[in-house]
PDB file of all heavy atoms in Angstrom:
ATOM      1  N   PRO W 517     161.794 -38.034 -18.067  1.00  0.00           N
ATOM      2  CA  PRO W 517     160.746 -39.160 -18.272  1.00  0.00           C
ATOM      3  C   PRO W 517     161.179 -40.198 -19.301  1.00  0.00           C
ATOM      4  O   PRO W 517     161.952 -39.914 -20.221  1.00  0.00           O
ATOM      5  CB  PRO W 517     159.545 -38.280 -18.757  1.00  0.00           C
ATOM      6  CG  PRO W 517     159.797 -36.937 -18.394  1.00  0.00           C
ATOM      7  CD  PRO W 517     161.295 -36.769 -18.544  1.00  0.00           C
ATOM      8  N   GLU W 518     160.777 -41.371 -19.093  1.00  0.00           N
ATOM      9  CA  GLU W 518     160.939 -42.480 -20.023  1.00  0.00           C
ATOM     10  C   GLU W 518     159.625 -43.174 -20.368  1.00  0.00           C
ATOM     11  O   GLU W 518     158.647 -42.864 -19.717  1.00  0.00           O
ATOM     12  CB  GLU W 518     161.860 -43.478 -19.295  1.00  0.00           C
ATOM     13  CG  GLU W 518     163.235 -42.911 -19.041  1.00  0.00           C
ATOM     14  CD  GLU W 518     164.098 -43.956 -18.316  1.00  0.00           C
ATOM     15  OE1 GLU W 518     163.832 -45.103 -18.243  1.00  0.00           O
ATOM     16  OE2 GLU W 518     165.132 -43.503 -17.774  1.00  0.00           O
ATOM     17  N   MET W 519     159.733 -43.995 -21.392  1.00  0.00           N
ATOM     18  CA  MET W 519     158.400 -44.647 -21.916  1.00  0.00           C
ATOM     19  C   MET W 519     157.511 -45.242 -20.770  1.00  0.00           C
ATOM     20  O   MET W 519     156.364 -45.173 -20.824  1.00  0.00           O
ATOM     21  CB  MET W 519     158.726 -45.639 -23.023  1.00  0.00           C
ATOM     22  CG  MET W 519     159.335 -44.894 -24.243  1.00  0.00           C
ATOM     23  SD  MET W 519     158.225 -43.788 -25.098  1.00  0.00           S
ATOM     24  CE  MET W 519     157.169 -45.007 -25.846  1.00  0.00           C
ATOM     25  N   HIS W 520     158.326 -45.959 -19.860  1.00  0.00           N
ATOM     26  CA  HIS W 520     157.499 -46.719 -18.857  1.00  0.00           C
ATOM     27  C   HIS W 520     156.802 -45.784 -17.801  1.00  0.00           C
ATOM     28  O   HIS W 520     155.989 -46.250 -17.005  1.00  0.00           O
ATOM     29  CB  HIS W 520     158.423 -47.762 -18.233  1.00  0.00           C
ATOM     30  CG  HIS W 520     159.527 -47.148 -17.351  1.00  0.00           C
ATOM     31  ND1 HIS W 520     159.407 -46.525 -16.134  1.00  0.00           N
ATOM     32  CD2 HIS W 520     160.844 -46.917 -17.818  1.00  0.00           C
ATOM     33  CE1 HIS W 520     160.540 -46.084 -15.738  1.00  0.00           C
ATOM     34  NE2 HIS W 520     161.483 -46.314 -16.684  1.00  0.00           N
ATOM     35  N   ASP W 521     157.131 -44.510 -17.894  1.00  0.00           N
ATOM     36  CA  ASP W 521     156.484 -43.592 -16.969  1.00  0.00           C
ATOM     37  C   ASP W 521     155.112 -43.198 -17.398  1.00  0.00           C
ATOM     38  O   ASP W 521     154.451 -42.543 -16.533  1.00  0.00           O
ATOM     39  CB  ASP W 521     157.354 -42.315 -16.874  1.00  0.00           C
ATOM     40  CG  ASP W 521     158.699 -42.641 -16.177  1.00  0.00           C
ATOM     41  OD1 ASP W 521     158.710 -43.401 -15.211  1.00  0.00           O
ATOM     42  OD2 ASP W 521     159.724 -42.042 -16.605  1.00  0.00           O
ATOM     43  N   LEU W 522     154.700 -43.447 -18.583  1.00  0.00           N
ATOM     44  CA  LEU W 522     153.291 -43.067 -19.029  1.00  0.00           C
ATOM     45  C   LEU W 522     152.330 -43.691 -18.082  1.00  0.00           C
ATOM     46  O   LEU W 522     152.376 -45.016 -17.821  1.00  0.00           O
ATOM     47  CB  LEU W 522     153.125 -43.537 -20.488  1.00  0.00           C
ATOM     48  CG  LEU W 522     153.752 -42.607 -21.517  1.00  0.00           C
ATOM     49  CD1 LEU W 522     153.584 -43.353 -22.914  1.00  0.00           C
ATOM     50  CD2 LEU W 522     153.065 -41.277 -21.546  1.00  0.00           C
ATOM     51  N   ARG W 523     151.402 -43.005 -17.617  1.00  0.00           N
ATOM     52  CA  ARG W 523     150.343 -43.456 -16.657  1.00  0.00           C
ATOM     53  C   ARG W 523     149.395 -44.326 -17.423  1.00  0.00           C
ATOM     54  O   ARG W 523     148.855 -43.792 -18.375  1.00  0.00           O
ATOM     55  CB  ARG W 523     149.672 -42.314 -15.895  1.00  0.00           C
ATOM     56  CG  ARG W 523     148.883 -42.667 -14.799  1.00  0.00           C
ATOM     57  CD  ARG W 523     148.422 -41.448 -14.004  1.00  0.00           C
ATOM     58  NE  ARG W 523     147.495 -41.772 -13.002  1.00  0.00           N
ATOM     59  CZ  ARG W 523     146.875 -40.874 -12.270  1.00  0.00           C
ATOM     60  NH1 ARG W 523     147.106 -39.534 -12.458  1.00  0.00           N
ATOM     61  NH2 ARG W 523     146.028 -41.239 -11.302  1.00  0.00           N
ATOM     62  N   GLU W 524     149.023 -45.407 -16.864  1.00  0.00           N
ATOM     63  CA  GLU W 524     148.102 -46.359 -17.548  1.00  0.00           C
ATOM     64  C   GLU W 524     148.495 -46.540 -18.967  1.00  0.00           C
ATOM     65  O   GLU W 524     147.713 -46.264 -19.914  1.00  0.00           O
ATOM     66  CB  GLU W 524     146.536 -45.819 -17.539  1.00  0.00           C
ATOM     67  CG  GLU W 524     146.044 -46.009 -16.083  1.00  0.00           C
ATOM     68  CD  GLU W 524     145.728 -44.737 -15.407  1.00  0.00           C
ATOM     69  OE1 GLU W 524     145.720 -43.723 -15.948  1.00  0.00           O
ATOM     70  OE2 GLU W 524     145.448 -44.758 -14.224  1.00  0.00           O
TER      71      GLU W 524
END
Side-chain angles (χ1 to χ4, degrees):
E518 299 176 12
M519 296 291 288
H520 62 79
D521 293 319
L522 282 172
R523 190 174 177 187
E524 285 115 11

